[in-house]
Amino acid sequence: GEFKPNDAITRSDLACIIDRLMGLTYTSYNSFRDLQPGQYYTDSMLKCYAVGYIQGDGKNLRPLDTATREEVATILYRVFSMEENDSSSRFTDSGAISSWASTEVNTLASHGFINGYPDGSFGPQNNITRAELITMLDNIISIYVTSNIKSADTITVTAEGNIINSKRGMTFARSTVDMNLYCTQACTQMIMQNSSVEGTLYLLADKMSLNLVNTEVSKVYTNAVATIKGAENIEELYVS
């Protein structure tokens, strides 16, 4: 097969990538007139809509529309629960960035997650290419632990960036995470031993069992039922 790095990405293909990346399980009722049942992307679009990653106008989700660079920046901002950064835009065409995407683009750029073109512009309304999307994701994610991993259930990592964990029952031992650790909806059980998370630990499954053994965590965010052992090692706990 061919990767076709310069081809544009549709909103539906973007939804499929995010669905697999974040191990999405929640879904939504299909009330959209332009989202046909039984398409390869239908479930992924509804899952991304259910958690607020991809939005529509109430009647349409525009699955076959190509995604623009500013659209993708906004969606990734939501996916990774980024905190707003008010730094001014460094792009020469900052005035062309839509008002609804300005904060998101500037925040991703301030972290070095997105870059502009050699002439200093961002090209917010340009269709994003497959290669550009992969580059953005590679900049955001340092380590990805897939649910299909066949290696040992205990790993030791040192990550200067973000980690995504989709494997149930994974143990992080003697590990250091400088940014955030995302336990996806597919990850319902995790152990951390002699480790630390400098950023936020996101527990995204509807039910989660977390065991912190001699582990320091700056922040924990959960929007569901979580059983946490070693919670005294958490500086801040947020429940939505």
Side-chain angles (χ1 to χ4, degrees), residues 4 7 20 49 76 100 106 116 132 161 168 194 202 215 240:
K4 298 182 178 179
D7 280 10
R20 296 178 188 132
Y49 176 76
L76 294 182
W100 50 263
N106 291 340
E132 288 171 340
R168 181 182 186 276
N194 304 308
Y202 289 92
T215 293
S240 174

Side-chain angles (χ1 to χ4, degrees), residues 102-230:
S102 178
T103 294
E104 290 81 352
V105 170
N106 291 340
T107 297
L108 267 70
S110 70
H111 290 292
F113 296 152
I114 58 175
N115 298 294
Y117 296 112
D119 65 358
S121 65
F122 178 65
Q125 281 84 44
N126 291 355
N127 293 333
I128 194 166
T129 66
R130 294 163 67 90
E132 288 171 340
L133 173 61
I134 294 302
T135 299
M136 285 187 188
L137 291 173
D138 186 58
N139 289 339
I140 295 172
I141 306 165
S142 290
I143 297 173
Y144 177 61
V145 183
T146 173
S147 59
N148 296 323
I149 191 171
K150 296 181 179 179
S151 61
D153 288 340
T154 299
I155 61 174
T156 298
V157 299
T158 299
E160 295 182 357
N162 299 304
I163 294 179
I164 296 178
N165 178 31
S166 283
K167 183 172 177 61
R168 181 182 186 276
M170 177 60 71
T171 296
F172 289 89
R174 302 178 304 281
S175 297
T176 302
V177 185
D178 286 348
M179 296 187 73
N180 301 327
L181 172 54
Y182 300 84
C183 294
T184 71
Q185 293 178 10
C187 174
T188 57
Q189 184 180 9
M190 188 178 74
I191 299 171
M192 300 195 74
Q193 298 176 339
N194 304 308
S195 300
S196 65
V197 179
E198 298 298 326
T200 301
L201 172 56
Y202 289 92
L203 308 179
L204 303 177
D206 57 353
K207 291 184 180 180
M208 176 71 186
S209 174
L210 174 66
N211 189 2
L212 301 176
V213 182
N214 192 29
T215 293
E216 299 293 329
V217 179
S218 178
K219 299 177 184 178
V220 171
Y221 171 88
T222 178
N223 58 359
V225 177
T227 302
I228 303 176
K229 295 181 180 180

Side-chain angles (χ1 to χ4, degrees), residues 51-65:
V51 290
Y53 296 160
I54 289 180
Q55 299 175 357
D57 61 7
K59 296 180 180 179
N60 300 288
L61 274 183
R62 300 185 293 113
L64 301 182
D65 284 7

